[in-house]
Amino acid sequence: MNFTKHLLFSTFLLICFSMNVSAQRNFTEEADNAFELKQYYDAIELYQKAYSRVQRNRAERARILFQIAECYRLTNNIRRAVPQYRRVIRSGYPDPIAHLHLAEMLKMNEDYDEAIIEFKEFKKKAPDDPRGPRGIESCKLAQMWLDNPTRYEIENVRQLNTRENDFAAAFADNRRHNSLIITSSRDGSLGRGTDAWTGEGFTSLFFTEESRGRRGRRVARQQEDDAQISWTTPTLLDEGPVNTTHNEGTASLNERGNTMYFTRCKIIRRQTTTCQIYSTQKRGRFWTEPELVVLGPDSFNYGHPSISPDELTIYFASDKPGGYGGRDIWMATRDRRTRPFGEPVNLGPTINTEGDEVFPFIRDENTLYFSSNGHIGMGGLDIFRSERVGDEWQTPENMKYPINSPGDDFAIIFQGEEERGFFSSNRQGGRGGDDIYSFVLPPILFTLQGVVRDDSTQRLLVGADVKLVGSDGTSVEILTSDKGAYQFDETQILGNTTYEIFVDKEGYFAESAKESTVGIENSRDFIINFNLVPIPVEPIELPEILYALDEYVLQPQFQDSLNDLIETLNENPTLVIELGSHTDARASHAYNDTLSQRRAQSVVDYLIEKGIAPDRLVARGYGKRVPKTLERDIRREGHLFEAGTVLTEEFINGLPSFRVREAAHQMNRRTEFRILHDDYVPRDEDEIIEPARIEIIGDPDATEGEEEELETEEMGE
């Protein structure tokens, strides 16, 4: 019994002692220390305990709520960060930065309308801070980019991803590009426990390779692959000396794949985690003991290396002094691979911002890709591209959607000079946290096709000649199929080229059309159908051409009426035509024959002046011998002239009024053309061409020199 009492008393004392120790713990101080050491995941629980102890100090309670929100943001826990920042704002936290960070979290959650509201609130409370207006603009652009994606095609490489974080793929062989080294916190990584920063497992480097031959080239319209690439299950690159119980990741290898630069972040209890860049050599199947790449004081972070092909320049991200914000992109050079790198140089304010610029990738000596949350983007980290001209980096270009997303997008690499490669993203729809995605930019392909029909009957025309002439000097000619169809494929229709299409068939007027691929940024199938007009046997009246009284000179105001005829002759270079001119029934045959012949000749002379070969033209003056036959009902001066009416002199004289008779005479005064034959062979430019033939349809009863006074022929209206 005494033993039992003693045990109960001892237990009571132990509980009281534990409660007293707990009461004496300063959770606020511990949480702040963890936050300072970037142990954000651990800091959350400590801040939550500290908050429950602070009852009456409203300002401190608001500060603790803000710190918890910051921890969620810095561990990429958007789902918890958004309501936590709203709680911070409701608590009366005085710093407008809470609105800015809430806007950024909403933006990463693709809630752009709500994000704009918070950016505007931040702008109102901090009018001199450029991040407010920039955030508003970025939301509007992000929505536009989502609605108008670029041509890049992306795919989650599910064989490389797990429910953990998998990111920062690097080609293990920069010549064949058929093996990768990736960073992953998956099961099997060497680190044990949980990273106090992220709450995730520790990362190690893993190796994977294609389990079959290289992907076939895309040659079909939709760029279909020969087969989907299959990757082996990633395995640890090694179990030391490269991989350790610390965080390893973000590798970059030289062209031969026998030297690797990578990031190692050492986790030391009660110390701030810092990251450094190491290099290691491959000897047979094994890697040598990594050596520190000295780039500055070791109290700062250095990571995300990208080595140039000649290994003389290294690009990296660092928070070392001399930058413009959080982490900046730097570069360091050396004159020999065996020597250390010189003093790093910051890439300057065009590349770097007050935010973070990380994960550089130098594609060639003048093209840099990197990720940033400081430049205008869609949310989180976006991938940007910049060209170096001389010594100056140009304004970075956002890669837009679908390469970028509202989430974090980073660590892009390219497969040599091809527009394909890999990048990492924690966007919605992935397998885990960070996932590896492949991307490819398919070429822009064009085709041109259509059918050729008879304009009158809509019958499909077989064997019509279709000629394609490009502004680049190319020329292709084909015949329509038994279904009247023609087609030019993607090897014949090229980008940034303007094409003329000429269609011709015996017995039909030729047709032409133009199409251009200049400035078109997406693949397209052009469709142009043609309706060929049969060449008529009967003459075709030209648009009204009027002459001054007793004149035959073609007046300038009526020359435009011949433009369509000129175009027809140019499009049909094998046609030979007759230009026939007619007068009205007044005056003698001799006079009208001569006048009509001269008027026909004036039209021929004008066509020759415009470049039509003289031996393709015949001028004929018909005088008053061929009165017009109406093909349709025509109403003039209130009088209906019915179809089929022949405007003879007798008919005209029987009309009811002077004005109606004048209208009939005017219809008789006309110029027509008709096709004589369509087998003309164009001459060489220096070949002598016979002048146009002139024919007058004369009056066999007229005597030579007979002339009668023209009494009533007037200039038409």
Side-chain angles (χ1 to χ4, degrees), residues 259-305:
T259 301
M260 179 173 67
Y261 299 79
F262 68 98
T263 307
R264 175 178 288 168
C265 301
K266 290 186 176 180
I267 309 299
I268 301 176
R269 185 174 175 79
R270 299 177 186 269
Q271 291 187 22
T272 301
T273 298
T274 58
C275 302
Q276 305 290 328
I277 295 174
Y278 291 80
S279 67
T280 178
Q281 310 291 318
K282 192 172 187 179
R283 300 284 186 262
R285 294 167 47 204
F286 303 99
W287 295 92
T288 62
E289 185 68 34
E291 297 181 2
L292 177 67
V293 178
V294 179
L295 296 168
D298 60 7
S299 56
F300 301 99
N301 291 285
Y302 308 83
H304 312 160

Side-chain angles (χ1 to χ4, degrees), residues 577-647:
I577 68 169
E578 170 195 290
L579 274 301
S581 185
H582 302 262
T583 65
D584 62 31
R586 294 170 293 190
S588 69
H589 281 299
Y591 182 88
N592 283 326
D593 289 344
T594 301
L595 182 63
S596 63
Q597 174 267 313
R598 288 174 176 173
R599 287 180 173 175
Q601 185 61 39
S602 70
V603 175
V604 167
D605 291 342
Y606 179 74
L607 296 179
I608 293 173
E609 180 183 327
K610 293 300 180 181
I612 305 302
D615 56 347
R616 297 179 62 195
L617 307 171
V618 175
R620 283 199 175 121
Y622 286 90
K624 61 180 181 180
R625 303 174 186 284
V626 185
K628 182 179 179 66
T629 300
L630 301 182
E631 297 179 354
R632 58 186 175 84
D633 290 350
I634 297 176
R635 185 174 292 278
R636 295 286 176 89
E637 299 294 340
H639 182 81
L640 177 62
F641 294 87
E642 295 182 350
T645 300
V646 181
L647 300 179

Side-chain angles (χ1 to χ4, degrees), residues 527-560:
I527 298 177
I528 302 179
N529 298 321
F530 292 90
N531 290 329
L532 300 189
V533 177
I535 295 174
V537 176
E538 297 299 322
I540 303 169
E541 184 172 349
L542 293 172
E544 197 164 43
I545 300 173
L546 305 180
Y547 298 85
L549 179 64
D550 201 22
E551 291 290 339
Y552 55 84
V553 176
L554 182 63
Q555 298 183 67
Q557 63 265 39
F558 301 120
Q559 291 175 354
D560 288 345

